[in-house]
Amino acid sequence: MTAVIPGRTLSGVCLPWVMLLLWSLPLSAQAQDLLPAPEQVQVFDTPNDAGQSLTLLWADSLRDGPGVRYQILIAPVADARATAPAVDPAAMEIVAEIPSDSHYVRDRSWPWWTHPAPPAFHRYVINSRSGLELMNDTPYVVTVAAVTGEIRTFGPAIQAVPEPNWVNWNQMNNLLLLLAFGAGVFGSIRTAKRREIFLRRIPGLDAVDEAIGRATELGKPILYLTGAGDMGEPSTIAAAVILGRVSKRVAMYETELIVPHRDPIVMVVCQEITKQSYLEAGKADIFKEDSNFFITTDQFSYTAAVDGIMLRRKPAANFFMGSYFAESLLLTETGASTGAIQIAGTDSDHQLPFFVTTCDYTLIGEELYAASAYLSREPVQVGTLRGQDLGKAVILGVLALGTGLATIGLILDAQWPALLLDLFRDYK
Amino acid sequence: MTFLRRQLPLVITFVAGVIFTLQYYVPHPKSEILLTEGSLWIQIIGLFALVLGVTSLFHIHAVKIKRQEPGWGYSLILYFGIVVTLAVGLFVQWVGGQHPGGKETIDGAMTAFGWIYTYTMVPLQGTMFAILAFFIASAAYRSFRARSKEAALLLTAAVIVMMGRVPLGEYLLPVTGDITLWILNVLNASVRRAILIGISLGAVALSIKIIFGLERAYLGGGKE
Amino acid sequence: MSFPEKMLRIDRRIIFFVIGLCTLLPLLYPVDLPIIVTPEVRMVYDYIESLPDGSVFLLSMDFDPASKPELEPQAIALLRHAFSRNLRVIAMTLWLPGTGLAEQTVNRVAQELGKVNGEDYVFLGYSPGVGALIIGMGQDLYKAFPSDYYGNPTKTLAVLKDVPNLRHVDYVVSLAAGTPGVETWYLFGKDKYQFELGGGCTGVIAPGLYPLLRSGQINGLIGGMRGAAEYELLIDQSGSAVAGMDAQSATHFAIIVLVILCNTFYFMTRRAAARGG
């Protein structure tokens, strides 16, 4: 009988197929001699997807090759309650006709924990598309036919129901690694609370005090930019966090701080952060609400305005933290022409060459995230940094081990290295 | 008050952070609807914040004009630009008596707003971007010096890539094209990946800290 | 101050003047140096060539007027190619300030090749949301863009017939001056809806996109004006990018000469200091 299981319909002896087989026996028997029907056919809802899709699997055949093709056929089930809807395969709609030496399971990479069938099996995914709309939670009958010349032999017609899935099991390795990394970070924070952890010097951050001191001596302001990103970007958050530390020292020295913004939400958040810093420094009376101000969201209009501020106000120190694009060099080169000390920190790797060339100090990539820990020395921050380093060590180890295992797997033509390698692959 | 300023934002951050992290692993259409709806909320909040931003902009420049600070004339130009562009975009009828509604063209004909866009914004922005070429040259002249072996290596690679990316370089020294591609595809790509791995780990660690309330500086500095 | 020291502190306006001349003169007196087509540009061209008539091609012009000199020639060349291959073209932008520019570009090329708006192509314009917009398009394009830039309901447009979402788009190319751009289309689009994705970008951010190319996340990359010039050659229609290549050659060489000069002066000052000290 036909097994109808929402989500996955297993192959089995299919009643309509048996009925049809009996009905068309003489012709079919002849055809079967010339061209065996597809075997071990499975039809099920495509797993790990948003629905409107069915997957068809069938075993490869000795007859696969030039001259033989496969037809994928589908028909909606009129009466969903019927356990064995009788459908004539010959009357079903042809979804696709493919060469018999194509569409294998091995064509796509699968993690071992969701591998659908042996690599040599054929696989065809029927997706909803123009002219063929697959509705979720609606049963369909699907089959595959082998075709050569005028002869067509059908596999069993199997009923299945497309439906959206709640979990993408292919990505579970990703979740596992995230949880492991999170656990590593929390473990490191615990360690950092118990004992002191060594932090290597970051010259760019050592220079923060020097820059603020110089500005104070010269009686000039300090310019701090939080980059082009919005509050959803980690680099902007890191820039805002560093602003908190910098503004506290600026408040202690009673130096003027200028923070022009490209994003109004970032402006509001930074206003709060600087206010808090001035409060903590005991200098709430000299805090200016409009030290943080909005210019425009437009890239080059903002750049022109900040360049203007640099040329008119001649800040003694310029901080460029956060993410940047083509405006980076326009900002830093103008800053360099005014003789300011310039400290940059960005995760925009494509802008690093410009910052390195024109700034006195540059925090490269993750150093931007490390800055907060370096400036505060709080166990939570330092512990997180250690967690990051552990993560990096694991990645380095996996790169070395993975290269070795992949090589061994190729040499020995063995599948077992995949047990480990799959854990670190990106699957969709 | 402390609850509204501290605990509530932390609870919202935790709940939203966990939900939107798990959303990545859920292929169900409802999960995507959640993401698009969340994005709509952010856009709406962003619009309210824009009012704050524009208010801040007007305030700063009004003060400058009032005090006649250095460069206050530019503040006047800013006011003029905003008012004229807004008025033209919203009210000026140009094509067949139609309101432009912020569109640059209607039925293929340029609107007054479109005129401002094409003849002020496009050339002005183009000019700003073009300055980059001049600044690259002056920055290279000032900073690209072979102070050490590493700097000399960087310099050599830069010269090869600069030659390999233009026809004259490939014409004079054809091998620079291939070397440039190798530098970009192998050396550059691998180093960038290494940097990206570090950045990604840093970003994930920061996100974990924010979701679990270990990093609170973004709420306005220190501890409660 | 010695001569080399003076030269090291040369007024940067002199450098600006040299670069200005190197840009202007080749534009006035072109040399037409031969341009070699790189594999990453050819990959985009080959993919469009391989698409059958009527395939759906989405061009996202994710740049503002500032990047016009580099990215508009790329857009023109791609549109000319797509229209000449009789592809159905969907054009849009993720950058609000780029809307007018994108609209002008699409209409100009479409008129040049006799294509009809709504039948052969559609300009969807700009809609906010970036990642959420792409996801929305992946779910229901007609809902994400209920009307095109001119207010015509997208459901009624012949060019969008049977294109209910991004899964029905055969090829997407994002021409990006930054973020949102190619990476955004990969993260929220290709990664989820499995269409083929190509990229184009300004020269400044091109090196940053090479890792995406090497990992197969994009199937080709048109980088800067050089990339645009290569594409113009591939479709055999030289335009502003090919014309600009002489100027780019001259400026690149001017910078190389400047770097050599500054190093010569630097070593002269160092030697003088060593001798003196």
Side-chain angles (χ1 to χ4, degrees):
Chain A
M1 68 175 275
T2 312
V4 183
I5 301 168
R8 195 179 171 106
T9 306
L10 298 172
S11 65
V13 181
C14 182
L15 188 59
W17 167 238
V18 174
M19 286 161 64
L20 280 159
L21 200 70
L22 292 168
W23 168 65
S24 57
L25 189 61
L27 184 67
S28 209
Q30 282 175 358
Q32 281 280 11
D33 289 343
L34 293 165
L35 184 68
E39 289 174 347
Q40 299 182 56
V41 181
Q42 299 174 41
V43 183
F44 48 86
D45 166 51
T46 305
N48 311 311
D49 76 343
Q52 294 187 298
S53 171
L54 291 171
T55 295
L56 182 68
L57 295 172
W58 69 99
D60 57 323
S61 160
L62 289 172
R63 294 293 306 270
D64 286 352
V68 179
R69 299 177 70 77
Y70 285 117
Q71 281 181 350
I72 316 298
L73 303 104
I74 192 168
V77 176
D79 183 5
R81 286 165 301 178
T83 49
V87 180
D88 173 10
M92 288 165 74
E93 182 187 347
I94 299 169
V95 176
E97 188 167 318
I98 56 170
S100 61
D101 53 359
S102 69
H103 291 77
Y104 292 103
V105 167
R106 62 171 174 263
D107 293 345
R108 210 196 116 167
S109 60
W110 307 85
W112 51 260
W113 58 92
T114 60
H115 212 282
F121 266 49
H122 290 284
R123 171 178 171 270
Y124 190 88
V125 179
I126 308 168
N127 284 318
S128 192
R129 57 176 162 79
S130 49
L132 175 73
E133 195 176 3
L134 290 189
M135 305 289 287
N136 284 334
D137 304 317
T138 306
Y140 293 87
V141 174
V142 178
T143 190
V144 57
V147 184
T148 183
E150 294 294 306
I151 303 167
R152 190 158 76 145
T153 54
F154 294 95
I158 297 173
Q159 188 174 320
V161 182
E163 62 176 17
N165 306 116
W166 283 102
V167 179
N168 185 350
W169 292 101
N170 290 333
Q171 290 178 326
M172 281 305 104
N173 59 337
N174 186 302
L175 181 62
L176 196 74
L177 291 173
L178 176 71
L179 292 175
F181 179 64
V185 169
F186 280 110
S188 298
I189 290 172
R190 270 186 65 181
T191 312
K193 280 179 179 169
R194 283 202 304 270
R195 63 182 168 87
E196 200 168 315
I197 290 173
F198 168 76
L199 278 185
R200 75 169 163 87
R201 273 192 67 233
I202 302 178
L205 293 173
D206 286 341
V208 168
D209 275 341
E210 180 198 336
I212 298 169
R214 193 177 153 200
T216 313
E217 274 171 28
L218 294 171
K220 286 182 174 179
I222 284 168
L223 181 75
Y224 191 101
L225 307 186
T226 53
D230 57 26
M231 224 43 223
E233 281 183 35
S235 58
T236 312
I237 298 172
V241 171
I242 300 166
L243 172 67
R245 320 282 178 206
V246 169
S247 57
K248 200 169 169 182
R249 294 187 193 195
V250 167
M252 285 177 196
Y253 286 108
E254 298 191 9
T255 311
E256 191 188 350
L257 180 69
I258 306 172
V259 195
H261 290 280
R262 266 184 76 174
D263 186 293
I265 296 181
V266 179
M267 179 196 79
V268 175
V269 172
C270 288
Q271 263 173 352
E272 282 300 305
I273 289 173
T274 35
K275 196 184 209 173
Q276 183 71 30
S277 300
Y278 274 74
L279 272 173
E280 283 175 17
K283 302 279 182 181
D285 51 322
I286 58 163
F287 171 71
K288 281 189 199 162
E289 192 82 38
D290 56 10
S291 58
N292 282 273
F293 57 93
F294 173 74
I295 292 181
T296 170
T297 53
D298 186 77
Q299 182 185 21
F300 287 108
S301 309
Y302 173 83
T303 310
V306 175
D307 280 356
I309 292 169
M310 285 178 183
L311 293 171
R312 280 192 297 274
R313 305 289 309 274
K314 299 220 167 15
N318 297 331
F319 290 86
F320 307 97
M321 301 289 169
S323 63
Y324 291 85
F325 294 94
E327 72 276 15
S328 63
L329 187 70
L330 297 178
L331 292 167
T332 54
E333 182 63 5
T334 307
S337 75
T338 63
I341 285 190
Q342 304 206 98
I343 302 173
T346 186
D347 64 349
S348 307
D349 53 332
H350 41 85
Q351 296 305 312
L352 281 171
F354 298 126
F355 282 123
V356 170
T357 316
T358 50
C359 290
D360 299 281
Y361 301 97
T362 306
L363 308 178
I364 296 172
E366 79 245 49
E367 285 181 343
L368 174 68
Y369 303 108
S372 177
Y374 194 87
L375 291 171
S376 71
R377 305 271 167 173
E378 286 170 12
V380 170
Q381 308 287 354
V382 178
T384 311
L385 210 54
R386 189 174 178 266
Q388 277 170 243
D389 281 352
L390 282 177
K392 233 188 290 181
V394 170
I395 289 175
L396 278 173
V398 168
L399 281 175
L401 188 71
T403 310
L405 279 178
T407 312
I408 292 168
L410 267 176
I411 293 168
L412 302 178
D413 196 21
Q415 295 299 314
W416 58 264
L419 290 175
L420 187 73
L421 291 175
D422 283 3
L423 288 175
F424 299 97
R425 282 211 177 103
D426 179 30
Y427 293 103
K428 301 299 170 207
Chain B
M1 202 59 190
T2 319
F3 173 75
L4 285 178
R5 283 184 64 84
R6 291 275 169 215
Q7 276 88 347
L8 186 64
L10 288 177
V11 170
I12 293 173
T13 308
F14 176 75
V15 173
V18 170
I19 288 175
F20 284 98
T21 303
L22 292 179
Q23 185 276 332
Y24 179 73
Y25 305 98
V26 179
H28 200 284
K30 285 199 169 111
S31 142
E32 290 183 346
I33 290 168
L34 181 79
L35 193 67
T36 45
E37 286 293 318
S39 163
L40 276 178
W41 285 27
I42 293 169
Q43 284 171 38
I44 292 165
I45 295 166
L47 277 175
F48 282 109
L50 195 61
V51 175
L52 286 175
V54 173
T55 311
S56 143
L57 182 76
F58 275 105
H59 172 71
I60 292 272
H61 287 277
V63 170
K64 266 190 181 176
I65 294 168
K66 203 174 157 189
R67 291 184 191 157
Q68 300 210 337
E69 283 180 15
W72 64 275
Y74 299 122
S75 301
L76 270 183
I77 294 172
L78 178 125
Y79 269 104
F80 176 76
I82 290 177
V83 172
V84 168
T85 312
L86 264 177
V88 168
L90 292 173
F91 308 117
V92 174
Q93 299 180 3
W94 189 296
V95 187
Q98 288 187 60
H99 281 286
K103 283 195 164 58
E104 287 84 6
T105 56
I106 292 176
D107 299 331
M110 192 180 280
T111 61
F113 182 72
W115 190 92
I116 290 180
Y117 177 85
T118 311
Y119 296 109
T120 58
M121 194 170 163
V122 172
L124 280 173
Q125 289 214 347
T127 307
M128 279 303 291
F129 194 56
I131 292 173
L132 201 59
F134 296 90
F135 277 21
I136 284 175
S138 77
Y141 185 79
R142 210 186 55 247
S143 322
F144 250 33
R145 292 173 195 175
R147 288 192 179 95
S148 60
K149 279 179 198 159
E150 292 87 351
L153 201 66
L154 191 72
L155 199 68
T156 315
V159 169
I160 291 171
V161 173
M162 274 194 281
M163 283 184 77
R165 289 297 293 171
V166 288
L168 182 59
E170 284 179 300
Y171 177 75
L172 294 175
L173 208 61
V175 74
T176 52
D178 292 335
I179 299 175
T180 297
L181 278 182
W182 183 80
I183 290 173
L184 286 173
N185 278 316
V186 180
L187 295 183
N188 164 67
S190 53
V191 170
R192 294 190 100 94
R193 272 184 204 152
I195 293 176
L196 275 175
I197 288 172
I199 290 171
S200 307
L201 284 176
V204 174
L206 182 67
S207 305
I208 289 173
K209 275 196 295 181
I210 289 171
I211 289 172
F212 288 96
L214 297 172
E215 175 66 76
R216 302 171 187 192
Y218 68 97
L219 290 173
K223 305 118 198 151
E224 48 272 40
Chain C
M1 194 185 284
S2 65
F3 174 72
E5 278 174 329
K6 270 187 199 165
M7 290 309 291
L8 282 177
R9 288 179 196 170
I10 191 173
D11 189 332
R12 60 184 193 151
R13 281 172 293 191
I14 295 171
I15 297 170
F16 295 168
F17 180 71
V18 171
I19 295 295
L21 271 186
C22 289
T23 312
L24 190 65
L25 290 177
L27 286 174
L28 295 174
Y29 309 103
V31 189
D32 293 332
L33 287 158
I35 299 165
I36 297 167
V37 178
T38 49
E40 53 265 34
V41 176
R42 185 175 284 281
M43 283 190 269
V44 177
Y45 173 84
D46 286 345
Y47 196 81
I48 292 182
E49 277 290 299
S50 72
L51 293 173
D53 266 24
S55 298
V56 183
F57 171 62
L58 191 151
L59 183 66
S60 187
M61 290 183 260
D62 307 324
F63 57 91
D64 57 5
S67 315
K68 182 184 172 188
E70 283 189 281
L71 294 177
E72 196 192 49
Q74 291 186 14
I76 291 173
L78 279 165
L79 286 167
R80 280 181 177 158
H81 190 202
F83 282 137
S84 68
R85 296 280 312 158
N86 290 323
L87 304 184
R88 288 190 279 166
V89 174
I90 304 171
M92 60 175 285
T93 177
L94 295 176
W95 287 41
L96 178 62
T99 317
L101 191 63
E103 192 236 354
Q104 288 167 19
T105 309
V106 175
N107 284 332
R108 199 168 68 233
V109 181
Q111 275 169 18
E112 176 190 309
L113 293 166
K115 297 292 174 181
V116 182
N117 185 19
E119 285 178 27
D120 304 307
Y121 75 99
V122 59
F123 180 64
L124 296 175
Y126 166 83
S127 184
V130 188
L133 174 73
I134 297 172
I135 291 172
M137 290 171 76
Q139 290 167 347
D140 189 344
L141 199 143
Y142 305 133
K143 206 174 148 193
F145 280 100
S147 59
D148 69 357
Y149 182 71
Y150 310 101
N152 308 310
T154 41
K155 261 192 173 168
T156 63
L157 297 175
V159 64
L160 290 178
K161 191 171 178 280
D162 304 328
V163 191
N165 55 46
L166 287 179
R167 286 185 199 278
H168 297 76
V169 173
D170 298 287
Y171 194 36
V172 176
V173 173
S174 165
L175 301 181
T179 303
V182 181
E183 284 142 314
T184 320
W185 275 102
Y186 173 74
L187 200 63
F188 298 102
K190 183 182 174 179
D191 196 28
K192 284 176 178 287
Y193 305 109
Q194 310 293 313
F195 49 75
E196 195 49 87
L197 177 68
C201 62
T202 53
V204 179
I205 63 165
L209 293 177
Y210 271 86
L212 268 75
L213 181 71
R214 302 301 299 162
S215 58
Q217 288 163 319
I218 53 175
N219 79 336
L221 180 66
I222 310 170
M225 192 185 277
R226 162 71 192 249
E230 290 174 30
Y231 211 96
E232 284 177 359
L233 284 183
L234 282 168
I235 59 167
D236 207 16
Q237 290 186 39
S238 295
S240 63
V242 168
M245 283 320 290
D246 287 343
Q248 206 170 35
S249 288
T251 48
H252 274 217
F253 270 79
I255 293 173
I256 292 171
V257 170
L258 283 170
V259 168
I260 293 169
L261 277 177
C262 98
N263 276 283
T264 312
F265 296 134
Y266 171 68
F267 281 111
M268 282 167 76
T269 51
R270 238 175 49 165
R271 195 175 299 162
R275 230 183 279 144

